[in-house]
Amino acid sequence: IQMSLDNGANDFVAKPFEAEELLARVRNLTRLKASVKQARETEISFLRSQINPHFLYNALNAIASLCAINPARAEELTLQLSLYLRGSFDFKQLDALTTLERELELVQAYVSIEKARFGNRLHVVYDIDADLQLSIPPLVLQPIVENAIKHGLMTKLEGGTVRIAVKAHPGNVVQFTISDDGCGISEQKLNEIRQADGNNKGVGLKNIGQRLKLIYGIHLHIDSKEGSGTQVTFAIPAMP
């Protein structure tokens, strides 16, 4: 029994078994699966609702300021904002996976809007060496990039660079690394983020960590030192 459970079994019934007991165990497992699915959908719904009103206000201001001097750029940013909002407010199929390609499109839309605001203070480097059709949970990459820009780079007068690396590794594993050379995070703040609740700024990272643990049984790793930037990594199995 112990070996079966250690290797992934959810329950164990020995023969001969009572029909009533078997049905009761099946009902319990069915309810557990439904509960996990509901919890997962709730987490994703919560994450997708974390659209900062200040971001929308600043994005619209940036577009408005370009309308007179660079209408083509203003139109481009409007389309990028539309793409960003469509991806962030898509509440259909919350339990479904997206592709790496679509997640990167969402990241690029967000970065384009922020670059219009911050100009040369913001640099983003992409290093993608993985199948763009790789299946991943929605909104696991963009919120980490957003966090790096908002809390890592833009708190520095000179700004900085965010590096987004997605690498396929032997063993059918894909590693995601999002690093920045921003202000970094103190040990005390790191602890606060790891213990974040719905009222703390670290809720986004903790939410992603919980989803990765629920779906893949893995952890989100955050390495940071005050004044030296931050690196967030996680690795998931490659599923086409």
Side-chain angles (χ1 to χ4, degrees), residues 5-98:
L5 295 175
D6 287 345
N7 283 276
N10 291 319
D11 204 345
F12 191 96
V13 179
K15 294 181 179 180
F17 55 81
E18 294 289 338
E20 292 82 0
E21 178 187 0
L22 177 61
L23 289 173
R25 290 178 182 271
V26 170
R27 281 194 297 268
N28 284 339
L29 290 174
T30 302
R31 283 195 293 267
L32 177 61
K33 182 177 180 180
S35 176
V36 169
K37 181 178 179 181
Q38 182 180 7
R40 182 178 171 187
E41 291 180 352
T42 300
E43 290 288 344
I44 296 175
S45 297
F46 175 76
L47 180 62
R48 289 182 169 179
S49 70
Q50 301 302 295
I51 306 300
N52 192 321
H54 293 292
F55 168 73
L56 294 179
Y57 175 78
N58 292 329
L60 292 173
N61 271 348
I63 292 170
S65 66
L66 287 170
C67 285
I69 60 175
N70 192 342
R73 178 61 175 153
E75 180 181 4
E76 179 186 346
L77 281 182
T78 302
L79 293 175
Q80 294 290 348
L81 180 60
S82 174
L83 174 63
Y84 172 78
L85 293 177
R86 185 166 62 249
S88 299
F89 286 126
D90 183 10
F91 290 97
K92 296 179 181 179
Q93 298 180 343
L94 294 179
D95 199 42
L97 297 174
T98 188

Side-chain angles (χ1 to χ4, degrees), residues 195-212:
Q195 300 171 6
D197 57 34
N199 296 318
N200 292 326
K201 291 181 179 179
V203 66
L205 289 178
K206 184 176 182 182
N207 187 290
I208 294 170
Q210 289 174 336
R211 291 169 57 211
L212 291 173

Side-chain angles (χ1 to χ4, degrees), residues 44 47-48 80 83-84 86-90 96-112 124 126 128 131-146 164-166 176 178 204 208 211-212 234 236:
I44 296 175
L47 180 62
R48 289 182 169 179
Q80 294 290 348
L83 174 63
Y84 172 78
R86 185 166 62 249
S88 299
F89 286 126
D90 183 10
L97 297 174
T98 188
T99 64
L100 173 60
E101 183 176 30
R102 292 189 64 184
E103 186 76 359
L104 286 172
E105 287 176 353
L106 190 61
V107 170
Q108 290 164 350
Y110 173 79
V111 168
S112 293
V124 179
Y126 298 89
I128 311 300
D131 184 0
L132 291 178
Q133 298 308 308
L134 170 73
S135 295
I136 63 173
L139 289 171
V140 295
L141 187 57
Q142 186 274 330
I144 300 176
V145 175
E146 180 176 345
I164 304 167
V166 184
F176 293 73
I178 302 91
I208 294 170
R211 291 169 57 211
L212 291 173
F234 62 92
I236 64 173

Side-chain angles (χ1 to χ4, degrees), residues 221-240:
H221 299 281
I222 306 173
D223 297 309
S224 185
K225 185 176 181 181
E226 199 167 9
S228 301
T230 301
Q231 179 172 283
V232 179
T233 60
F234 62 92
I236 64 173
M239 296 186 297

